[in-house]
Amino acid sequence: MAYKTIIGLEIHVELATKHKIFCNCPNEYGAEANTLVCPICLGLPGALPVLDKEALEYGIKAGIAFNGSISNIIKMDRKNYFYPDLTKGYQISQAEIPFCDGGYIEIELEEGTKKITLNRIHIEEDTGKQLHSEDGMTLIDFNRAGVPLIEIVTNPDINSAEEAKLFLDKLRAILKYIGVSNVKMEEGSLRCDVNINVVNTKSNVKSNITEIKNLNSFKAVVKAIEFEEKRHIELLEAGSNTDRETRRWDETKGETIIMRKKFGVSDYRFAEDGDIPPIKIAGEWIEEIRKSLPELPHAKKERFIKEYNLSDYDAGVLTQSKELSIFFEDTLKYIDDSKLVSNWIMGDVLRRLNDDEIEIEESNLKPKDLAELLILIRDGKINNNTGKKVLKEMFDTGKSPETIVKEKGLIQISDEGALKEIIEKVLSENEQSIIDYKNGKDRALGFLVGQIMKASRGKANPQLVNKMLLEIINER
Ligand code: ZN
Ligand code: MN
C-alpha cells in the first residue's frame, strides 16, 4: 500500500546580536550561570521590556533572505504557559501578525528543484535553561532567558527525511551566509521541531499529526522522521491511528517517546503584550537591510558557473558553505586556474574535511598554501601523487608546501640523466618484463613504470618516465 509522508518543520534560531531582545544584557553563550541577567530578563514585576533594534534587523535580514514579505508593523504578544525556566509565566512572542509572512527555500532533488514554502517567521524571546543534575536536582540558568529567537515555520511541503535534511542544510547555509546566527546545534542556537503524519494515497486515510520536539542534530531529525513514518503506517495498517501528541527523540533507544498530549492554541491564551506598543517599520529601513545582504548561495552558484566555467554540480558544492566559497575564491587570487583549484577542493580537500568532520575554516589549510602546492605540481616540481602526500602533511601540520617539500626532499626528478640511470637499473633487474612487453603484454610496461617510481621513492616525473622508458625499450 502506498503512503505519502507529510512533514512541516518549526525551527528556532538564536540570533547572534550583541544584546538580549528586551534588555541590555550581553547575548553570549557559555558564561558562568546567572551572570548575564537583569530585572527585565528575569521577568521581575515592574520591569519594562524594550525591543532591541538589532534583533529585529537580524530577523528581517533572515526574512528577506528566505523570500518572505516583511510586515510594516511589529506587534508582540504574550504566550502563556507555566514552565520553571519562564519566570514571567508567559513568553513574549508574536501571534497573529508575525514580522515575516510566507517565503520559501529551494532544495535540489534528483528530479529537479523543489520549493519548500514557509508559513511565517516570528520573533520571540528564548527561555532559561534547565540543568538536570545526576542526584535528581534541577538548576536553572537564566543567561539564555531573553536571547532573541526567530521561529521559522514551514508549510507541510516536505515529504521525506531526505528532503528535511536538504532543507535544513540549505536553511543553515543561508543563515551562515547572512551572519545572523552561529547556527550551532550543539550549543542550541538552532533547534528543530518536526510535525509529521502520513496519508494512504488510495483510501486518503490520514494519521493524526505528531510533533517531535527539540531535536538537536540533523541526524536526529532524519532518524526521528524515519521512526515516526513507520509507526504511523503500522498503526493505520492495523486499523488504528496515532494520537495527537508531542513526543521526543530518545537517542539511546533510537525511538520517539511521548511527552504530553498536544496543547491546543487556545491553551496559550495569546494576548497583546501591553508593555510593548506596536512599532511601525519604515519601508526605507527594510530596503536598507535588503541592500546590505551579501550574495546568497544561489546567486553565488550561478556566478561561479559563469565566471569560473564550473559545472552545476561543482558550483553547488563550492557554494554550499560561505567559508568554502570564500576559500575557493581566495585560492584563485594566487593561482589563476579555476578548474585545477576546484578539482583539488572537490577531491582531496573535501575528503579530508569529511574524514575529520570539520569545516574548512577549522582546518590548517590556507588558500595561499593550497595555491602554492598546485603551482609546484603545475610546474612539474613535484608530481601529482607527491602533491597528495604534501597536502596531507599540510593538513596535519599547517606547514607550507615549500617547507614540506624541502624538509622531505620531495622535489620531482625531471633530470633525464638521473632518470636514465634509474630506468636502466630497473630494466637490468627485470629482463623478463621487457620480453613480455615485446610479446604484446602491455601490462608489463605498467609494472616497469611502477618499479621505476618505487626506485625513485615516488619522486620521478611520471610523464617523463613513460616517455623515456618507451624510447629505451624500443631501441633494444
Ligand atoms: Zn537582562
Ligand atoms: Mn517558539
Side-chain angles (χ1 to χ4, degrees), residues 315-365:
V317 173
L318 290 172
T319 53
Q320 237 167 34
S321 105
K322 181 184 186 180
E323 281 73 20
L324 192 66
S325 69
I326 292 173
F327 188 97
F328 171 73
E329 292 204 284
D330 280 352
T331 307
L332 288 179
K333 288 179 190 158
Y334 305 100
I335 174 170
D336 186 19
D337 190 337
S338 54
K339 196 69 216 162
L340 183 66
V341 173
S342 129
N343 282 344
W344 274 76
I345 293 180
M346 300 280 300
D348 286 76
V349 171
L350 280 182
R351 207 170 304 129
R352 173 64 188 252
L353 295 176
N354 238 341
D355 288 347
D356 293 356
E357 293 185 7
I358 55 170
E359 306 284 331
I360 188 81
E361 67 272 23
E362 297 165 299
S363 80
N364 276 326
L365 196 65

Side-chain angles (χ1 to χ4, degrees), residues 247-468:
R247 300 173 76 91
R248 67 178 176 82
W249 173 246
D250 188 315
E251 185 61 51
T252 40
K253 290 193 179 133
E255 58 187 44
T256 62
I257 288 164
I258 179 157
M259 285 169 75
R260 56 170 187 255
K261 292 270 172 247
K262 183 82 186 137
F263 282 164
V265 173
S266 58
D267 295 329
Y268 291 122
R269 291 168 286 118
F270 277 107
E272 194 171 321
D273 190 303
D275 289 339
I276 306 170
I279 301 163
K280 265 197 183 162
I281 301 296
E284 300 93 76
W285 190 47
I286 297 173
E287 271 320 297
E288 240 174 68
I289 297 173
R290 188 187 302 279
K291 280 187 201 130
S292 78
L293 282 181
E295 187 181 32
L296 295 176
H298 184 72
K300 195 173 252 188
K301 179 182 160 186
E302 295 302 309
R303 180 168 66 79
F304 275 22
I305 293 172
K306 273 199 209 113
E307 203 171 318
Y308 302 122
N309 213 1
L310 299 178
S311 71
D312 190 86
Y313 178 77
D314 291 1
V317 173
L318 290 172
T319 53
Q320 237 167 34
S321 105
K322 181 184 186 180
E323 281 73 20
L324 192 66
S325 69
I326 292 173
F327 188 97
F328 171 73
E329 292 204 284
D330 280 352
T331 307
L332 288 179
K333 288 179 190 158
Y334 305 100
I335 174 170
D336 186 19
D337 190 337
S338 54
K339 196 69 216 162
L340 183 66
V341 173
S342 129
N343 282 344
W344 274 76
I345 293 180
M346 300 280 300
D348 286 76
V349 171
L350 280 182
R351 207 170 304 129
R352 173 64 188 252
L353 295 176
N354 238 341
D355 288 347
D356 293 356
E357 293 185 7
I358 55 170
E359 306 284 331
I360 188 81
E361 67 272 23
E362 297 165 299
S363 80
N364 276 326
L365 196 65
K366 303 277 168 295
K368 186 164 182 270
D369 289 343
L370 178 62
E372 246 175 47
L373 173 72
L374 300 186
I375 290 168
L376 287 173
I377 297 168
R378 191 190 60 189
D379 294 353
K381 297 246 173 64
I382 58 175
N383 62 44
N384 218 49
N385 268 333
T386 305
K388 286 171 190 270
K389 286 181 202 140
V390 173
L391 182 69
K392 182 181 176 298
E393 189 81 14
M394 290 159 69
F395 268 113
D396 290 342
T397 64
K399 287 182 184 167
S400 79
E402 302 263 10
T403 310
I404 295 165
V405 165
K406 243 181 238 151
E407 277 178 7
K408 305 215 153 179
L410 296 173
I411 289 290
Q412 175 163 269
I413 307 171
S414 298
D415 172 55
E416 298 207 10
L419 279 181
K420 190 159 187 234
E421 226 170 86
I422 298 172
I423 294 170
E424 294 286 7
K425 184 164 177 291
V426 168
L427 288 182
S428 69
E429 287 162 2
N430 296 282
E431 296 287 350
Q432 186 57 42
S433 297
I434 305 173
I435 299 165
D436 288 349
Y437 170 70
K438 300 227 164 179
N439 288 334
K441 281 191 187 159
D442 283 344
R443 266 191 305 160
L445 197 67
F447 171 77
L448 286 170
V449 171
Q451 291 302 306
I452 295 161
M453 291 306 291
K454 205 166 147 195
S456 76
R457 289 190 296 131
K459 293 189 290 184
N461 177 331
Q463 285 86 17
L464 206 52
V465 166
N466 269 303
K467 183 172 152 269
M468 290 176 64

Side-chain angles (χ1 to χ4, degrees), residues 20 22-26 36-42 145:
K20 291 189 181 180
F22 299 122
C23 62
N24 265 327
C25 289
L36 310 176
V37 292
C38 74
I40 294 173
C41 53
L42 285 173

